[in-house]
Amino acid sequence: MKGKIYRIFLVVMTIMMILSACSNSSSSNSTSGGSDSSESNTKPTYGGKLVRAAIYGDPQNLDPAIRAHGTPTSMITWNIFEPLIRFDAVKGVFNPANAESWKISDDGLVYTFKLRKGVLFHNGREVTAEDFKYSLERVLNPKTASPNAGSLTIIKGAQEFIDGKSKEVSGIKVIDPYNLEITLTKPDNTFLTIMSLPYAAAVPKEVVEEKGEKFGQEPVGAGPFKFKSWIRDSEIVLEGNKEYYGGRPYLDEVVYKIMTDQSTRDNAFASKQLDMMVLGDAQYPKYKNDPTFKNQIIEVPELFTRNLKFNLKKKGPWQDVRVRQAINYAIDRDSIIKTVLQGKAYPAVGILPPTIKGYNKNVTTYKYNPKKAKELLKEAGYEDGFTLKILTTDHPAFGLPAVEALSGYLEKVGIKVKIEQVDFASLLDRVNAGDFDAAMYSNGGQPHPVEYLTRYFHSKYFGASGNTGYYKNEKVDALLDEAAQTTDEDKMISLVQQAEDLIMKDAPWWFFNYNKAVIVHQPWVKGLQPVPTDIDYQDLTKVWIDEKMK
């Protein structure tokens, strides 16, 4: 009975999430993009190449077990690797993938996945349950040093395996080649979400062992697209997998052009060298008001919260909660969004965005109040101020422009800002390693509110696993643990909101904004969707090129 209640909860939660997303973007007539009106009268055709911009720079590698969940890697690996199930964030449902079906025991502890027959890795070998056991244990193996291992410690026997007390994870059982059973130590209503992510997908053991570290440069999965080539800092090319169990993708090829410079992207799009690109803040008004492109825009409130995170592992004035609260009061986020981001964002009331179940508009929040900021700094013993070193990139939405803007507000209350700018890959590495005092960042992408908060604020995820600010509050941990185990939706939401309120009061971040994600595309590109988890995570099996229009 509990399993049934849980599944009903998932459907309700995700439907509400999508309804919320729609209500927030209803003012735009471009939520579904200009492609939908023509799609209704046009049958998708096979062939063609999609050239898209990768605005966050070159991924370090494409091994899903090695890299932390992040846009530069995941926007590509989602198409190369095939997990047991996939989450359709637009429709708000879990769909069968490598597993054609699954069931959850009434006590919420045992997940049984029935695999499809005939699913092939890109090297031609069939995927079996043994491959998933190997792949999940590979993530948990300390030798892999996967930042995603913490997500799988809920599996029975995982900790013993990590500690070297057992040679395999007892909770992962291969019943036969097409049936896999996973037993948890306690109910966790985020587990299906975890199993839908790229690092939970199967990888071929023989290829991993043959290639070693090069597997991340030449990945082999079972997804709808195969890795073809990679020119560092230039482009990554995938080709359609004609043997994909779900049917051949419409696209023959997808090219990710590494383009971090906004003007370069603009010029490439204008000259039709790019088929689609994510718009930055400065670009948004230009395309939104252009009669040619305004109907070729897709936008959605993404499940991302931009922030200035404090490193609570390092000594500094920010260790005092009053200092962190003062910084939140000192900065006028609304003005920065209006002037610097051109209105292409939503002010962060709390942590959870309005497109997720559990969003609480009445959560403890911080409004611009420089007088209150000065009072708190004085109470904390920093009446004369201090210097805050902020690590950032040139990202237009949560990078240097925003840091320069907030610096002026902090200086007015006596806090001097020292800016250190690095490239996006270096930012990821340094934040994951805890090598910063404060860093401008963007966190999110999880469609489940428990997973959203747990990933970034639970102490079990310290470091690269997600809680990169090393925030710890035992009450928050307990509330999130209880929320993950309950099958009562109302109780889950109540616990989530209690946890969020405590985190807001502790102010481990300066809470900046929720992203308004926008894609502009050429008129011949069809099938793009408003994906709230990240608009970059397009389901490319649905995308096609109308060669007649091109």
Side-chain angles (χ1 to χ4, degrees):
M1 184 62 183
K2 290 182 179 179
K4 182 177 180 181
I5 293 173
Y6 166 68
R7 289 188 287 274
I8 292 172
F9 150 70
L10 273 179
V11 174
V12 173
M13 183 275 287
T14 49
I15 289 174
M16 290 298 293
M17 180 185 75
I18 300 304
L19 288 175
S20 179
C22 293
S23 66
N24 276 281
S25 54
S26 61
S27 59
S28 170
N29 63 358
S30 56
T31 307
S32 57
S35 61
D36 277 4
S37 59
S38 57
E39 269 185 76
S40 60
N41 300 314
T42 307
K43 184 179 180 180
T45 56
Y46 290 95
K49 175 171 67 175
L50 177 75
V51 182
R52 56 165 304 174
I55 69 173
Y56 296 102
D58 218 13
Q60 283 200 337
N61 70 67
L62 297 174
D63 184 337
I66 301 298
R67 294 306 300 163
H69 181 69
T71 303
T73 299
S74 294
M75 65 190 290
I76 300 171
T77 56
W78 231 300
N79 297 290
I80 297 175
F81 299 95
E82 190 71 7
L84 289 163
I85 57 176
R86 286 184 179 269
F87 179 68
D88 185 332
V90 178
K91 294 182 178 179
V93 295
F94 287 99
N95 289 323
N98 209 136
E100 64 181 15
S101 63
W102 65 92
K103 62 181 180 179
I104 307 169
S105 62
D106 288 343
D107 60 7
L109 294 178
V110 182
Y111 289 68
T112 305
F113 298 92
K114 183 179 181 181
L115 274 64
R116 298 178 190 271
K117 295 181 180 180
V119 177
L120 303 178
F121 282 121
H122 299 155
N123 66 350
R125 179 172 70 77
E126 186 179 30
V127 182
T128 68
E130 193 66 49
D131 292 306
F132 277 96
K133 179 177 173 63
Y134 164 76
S135 301
L136 294 173
E137 289 181 343
R138 178 173 179 254
V139 173
L140 286 164
N141 193 326
K143 292 182 180 179
T144 306
S146 175
N148 303 301
S151 299
L152 301 178
T153 54
I154 190 69
I155 299 175
K156 183 181 178 181
Q159 195 59 54
E160 290 83 352
F161 177 76
I162 292 172
D163 295 339
K165 296 178 181 179
S166 61
K167 294 183 179 180
E168 62 178 351
V169 179
S170 61
I172 305 176
K173 291 184 178 181
V174 175
I175 307 302
D176 59 48
Y178 304 107
N179 285 279
L180 180 73
E181 182 181 277
I182 300 178
T183 303
L184 309 185
T185 58
K186 56 186 177 183
D188 187 339
N189 54 37
T190 70
F191 189 66
L192 282 182
T193 301
I194 292 169
M195 296 309 291
S196 71
L197 297 175
Y199 64 81
V203 295
K205 180 180 180 180
E206 68 275 16
V207 178
V208 172
E209 293 183 347
E210 175 192 348
K211 292 182 177 293
E213 293 184 0
K214 288 186 178 180
F215 182 76
Q217 315 303 319
E218 302 170 354
V220 174
F225 288 86
K226 298 180 180 181
F227 172 82
K228 183 177 182 180
S229 63
W230 187 352
I231 301 174
R232 278 290 183 183
D233 298 313
S234 177
E235 67 177 29
I236 295 174
V237 182
L238 306 182
E239 61 180 338
N241 178 11
K242 294 181 180 179
E243 287 75 41
Y244 184 56
Y245 73 87
R248 168 191 170 187
Y250 297 116
L251 297 169
D252 284 342
E253 199 169 80
V254 179
V255 181
Y256 295 85
K257 288 286 186 181
I258 312 301
M259 290 184 171
T260 58
D261 182 70
Q262 182 173 291
S263 60
T264 301
R265 297 195 298 269
D266 272 335
N267 292 334
F269 189 81
S271 60
K272 298 180 173 56
Q273 296 176 55
L274 278 180
D275 294 313
M276 58 173 283
M277 64 178 178
V278 173
L279 292 182
D281 307 301
Q283 296 168 297
Y284 180 56
K286 169 187 173 182
Y287 288 93
K288 184 72 172 177
N289 299 319
D290 189 302
T292 302
F293 293 110
K294 67 180 182 179
N295 293 321
Q296 291 160 209
I297 284 178
I298 301 171
E299 60 183 49
V300 65
E302 269 185 346
L303 297 175
F304 277 83
T305 308
R306 274 77 175 271
N307 62 85
L308 174 68
K309 64 173 74 266
F310 304 102
N311 188 347
L312 301 180
K313 187 175 70 171
K314 294 186 69 174
K315 292 182 179 180
W318 55 87
Q319 287 287 351
D320 193 312
V321 65
R322 293 169 295 185
V323 171
R324 302 194 300 270
Q325 290 172 341
I327 290 173
N328 271 277
Y329 281 120
I331 304 169
D332 188 347
R333 66 173 62 82
D334 290 7
S335 292
I336 295 176
I337 290 171
K338 182 178 180 180
T339 58
V340 178
L341 306 188
Q342 305 294 314
K344 192 183 152 294
Y346 306 92
V349 176
I351 303 160
L352 296 175
T355 43
I356 199 168
K357 187 71 174 176
Y359 170 71
N360 181 13
K361 65 181 181 180
N362 297 316
V363 70
T364 294
T365 192
Y366 298 90
K367 295 183 178 180
Y368 179 49
N369 189 339
K371 181 180 178 181
K372 178 70 173 177
K374 290 180 179 179
E375 291 173 356
L376 286 167
L377 288 172
K378 184 177 180 179
E379 289 177 18
Y382 293 98
E383 185 176 8
D384 297 327
F386 60 90
T387 298
L388 180 65
K389 188 176 181 180
I390 298 179
L391 183 68
T392 189
T393 67
D394 62 353
H395 194 284
F398 58 92
L400 184 62
V403 174
E404 289 177 335
L406 69 84
S407 297
Y409 288 106
L410 292 182
E411 287 176 4
K412 290 179 181 179
V413 298
I415 301 174
K416 295 181 180 179
V417 174
K418 182 178 180 181
I419 301 174
E420 182 181 4
Q421 183 181 333
V422 296
D423 59 61
F424 198 82
S426 296
L427 177 76
L428 288 173
D429 286 342
R430 288 186 56 180
V431 169
N432 286 338
D435 182 20
F436 68 99
D437 294 342
M440 281 297 291
Y441 216 70
S442 179
N443 292 105
Q446 292 78 18
H448 195 295
V450 177
E451 174 67 7
Y452 202 100
L453 293 183
T454 299
R455 172 67 63 173
Y456 305 116
F457 300 103
H458 197 294
S459 61
K460 71 178 180 180
Y461 284 129
F462 271 172
S465 295
N467 187 351
T468 48
Y470 293 88
Y471 168 77
K472 183 175 182 178
N473 183 320
E474 292 182 357
K475 290 183 179 179
V476 169
D477 285 355
L479 286 167
L480 292 176
D481 286 342
E482 187 178 355
Q485 295 178 55
T486 183
T487 55
D488 184 313
E489 178 185 350
D490 291 338
K491 183 178 180 181
M492 184 272 288
I493 294 300
S494 175
L495 293 166
V496 162
Q497 292 182 344
Q498 290 177 56
E500 182 186 26
D501 203 67
L502 286 176
I503 298 167
M504 291 298 295
K505 290 174 180 175
D506 286 339
W509 295 352
W510 167 59
F511 305 96
F512 185 18
N513 69 67
Y514 312 120
N515 181 38
K516 178 191 289 186
V518 184
I519 277 180
V520 64
H521 61 88
Q522 302 289 3
W524 52 79
V525 179
K526 310 296 181 181
L528 297 174
Q529 298 176 291
V531 185
T533 45
D534 191 316
I535 205 165
D536 265 313
Y537 298 167
Q538 291 291 322
D539 180 355
L540 296 181
T541 64
K542 291 181 170 62
V543 179
W544 59 284
I545 302 295
D546 189 335
E547 293 289 354
K548 292 182 180 179
M549 292 187 69
K550 191 172 184 179

